Amino acid sequence: MLRIFAIFMFCFLAVQGDGRFYVLNAPESLSFQAVSTALPSEQVDDVIKAARGLDVSDSANFPGLVITDPFALPQKVVVVDVIGLNEVPLSDVVVSYKLQGKSVSSYLDDLNVGLTQDPSDCNIKLSSNQKSELVNCVETQVKSNNEFILAKINVSMLVKSGVDKALVSELKTLQAKIEGESQNLLFVVLTHKDDGSNSRRRRDTLAGSNTNSYNLAAYYDENYPVIFNIILWFMVALGLSLLAVCYAIADMDPGRDSIIYRMTSTRMKKDN
């Protein structure tokens, strides 16, 4: 009885595999270590945020990502979400991690809305007689001002034996284009069979304005921190200088410290 139960659980886990997280391109400032630790699905967005130098949740604790140079982090992140496959036969050189948990698509959607002023629209659902537009769509988004590009490709309608070869070829083509476009870019691929239909939903927020349909915070230019620090410390230095001048004037002895009074006093004596 125990053996039958173990075989049943093994088959169930094999069918319900959670998927994988592949790193196809990363700048030298990021080092993805080959660790056996599974990546929880709720920490996928934290890994991407950490790679961009953004705040992460307190529960984030994944040893696979090491930031070697915090001053040269990737300027853009490209994520390809492959729905319908648990894994893709990529090269052994590609670092990958097993995904643990469901609702991967929901976390990526939250990340897409939170990090991008104009969320990318690369949602591709393939059929047997349809050619994928993944490369063209992602390439167009990379040339835009978006710092986070999310592309979804649903291959659940296709037979697995025909999907792997075509998908791997397309991902390699996209990888070559991204490497030629910029080295300072993070390119990851996620594979899973969860389409997000039974996943959690985001908590409703207050209604936004007509010009801000996603109710996002105000967008700041990448030069905003530099300009802010220049103005801040200039005002601090100016305030301290003014304080020092006021103190010096208040503590001045007109008879001894001021050359104006000295010259006037000497000239008055000569005139007399």
Side-chain angles (χ1 to χ4, degrees):
M1 183 67 182
L2 182 60
R3 180 179 297 179
I4 296 175
F5 179 75
I7 294 175
F8 172 77
M9 290 299 298
F10 176 79
C11 295
F12 177 79
L13 292 175
V15 175
Q16 299 292 331
D18 296 328
R20 295 198 73 84
F21 181 98
Y22 299 91
V23 182
L24 272 67
N25 186 70
E28 296 180 355
S29 59
L30 301 178
S31 176
F32 286 89
Q33 308 293 323
V35 297
S36 58
T37 306
L39 175 61
S41 59
E42 63 270 14
Q43 293 188 16
V44 169
D45 55 345
D46 287 326
V47 171
I48 296 175
K49 286 181 179 179
R52 287 282 293 115
L54 304 175
D55 293 336
V56 299
S57 60
D58 296 335
S59 60
N61 184 19
F62 181 64
L65 174 60
V66 177
I67 300 177
T68 58
D69 186 3
F71 301 102
L73 295 175
Q75 298 177 352
K76 294 187 178 184
V77 178
V78 177
V79 178
V80 176
D81 184 19
V82 180
I83 303 172
L85 291 176
N86 282 335
E87 59 183 13
V88 177
L90 296 173
S91 173
D92 295 336
V93 181
V94 177
V95 180
S96 66
Y97 310 101
K98 185 182 185 302
L99 287 176
Q100 183 178 18
K102 301 295 181 181
S103 305
V104 178
S105 294
S106 296
Y107 292 108
L108 293 177
D109 290 338
D110 292 347
L111 195 63
N112 190 27
V113 173
L115 294 183
T116 310
Q117 188 178 16
D118 184 16
S120 58
D121 186 18
C122 291
N123 196 346
I124 303 168
K125 184 173 290 188
L126 292 182
S127 61
S128 57
N129 297 324
Q130 181 182 3
K131 184 179 180 181
S132 174
E133 297 293 334
L134 176 64
V135 176
N136 294 334
C137 185
V138 173
E139 191 176 10
T140 302
Q141 292 293 330
V142 168
K143 294 179 180 178
S144 67
N145 294 327
N146 289 343
E147 298 179 356
F148 179 78
I149 297 100
L150 173 62
K152 291 187 177 183
I153 178 168
N154 195 330
V155 298
S156 57
M157 300 294 293
L158 300 179
V159 181
K160 185 179 185 300
S161 59
V163 171
D164 291 351
K165 185 176 181 181
L167 184 60
V168 169
S169 176
E170 195 158 10
L171 291 177
K172 288 183 177 178
T173 302
L174 182 58
Q175 180 183 6
K177 288 183 176 293
I178 287 178
E179 290 177 352
E181 185 74 23
S182 173
Q183 289 291 337
N184 196 15
L185 192 149
L186 176 62
F187 177 31
V188 300
V189 175
L190 286 83
T191 60
H192 58 92
K193 288 189 175 181
D194 180 21
D195 60 355
S197 58
N198 297 323
S199 61
R200 64 176 180 87
R201 297 297 179 185
R202 294 188 297 273
R203 184 175 57 186
D204 293 336
T205 58
L206 296 176
S209 62
N210 295 330
T211 59
N212 189 1
S213 58
Y214 292 101
N215 197 24
L216 302 178
Y219 176 78
Y220 294 99
D221 186 77
E222 59 181 3
N223 296 322
Y224 176 82
V226 178
I227 299 175
F228 177 82
N229 277 275
I230 291 175
I231 296 176
L232 173 64
W233 295 112
F234 177 78
M235 295 302 295
V236 171
L238 184 63
L240 293 176
S241 302
L242 182 61
L243 181 63
V245 170
C246 293
Y247 178 80
I249 294 176
D251 194 54
M252 179 183 296
D253 185 357
R256 294 183 303 172
D257 299 336
S258 176
I259 190 172
I260 299 175
Y261 286 102
R262 290 180 182 178
M263 295 296 295
T264 306
S265 177
T266 304
R267 182 174 300 177
M268 290 177 62
K269 291 180 179 179
K270 287 183 178 180
D271 293 340
N272 292 332

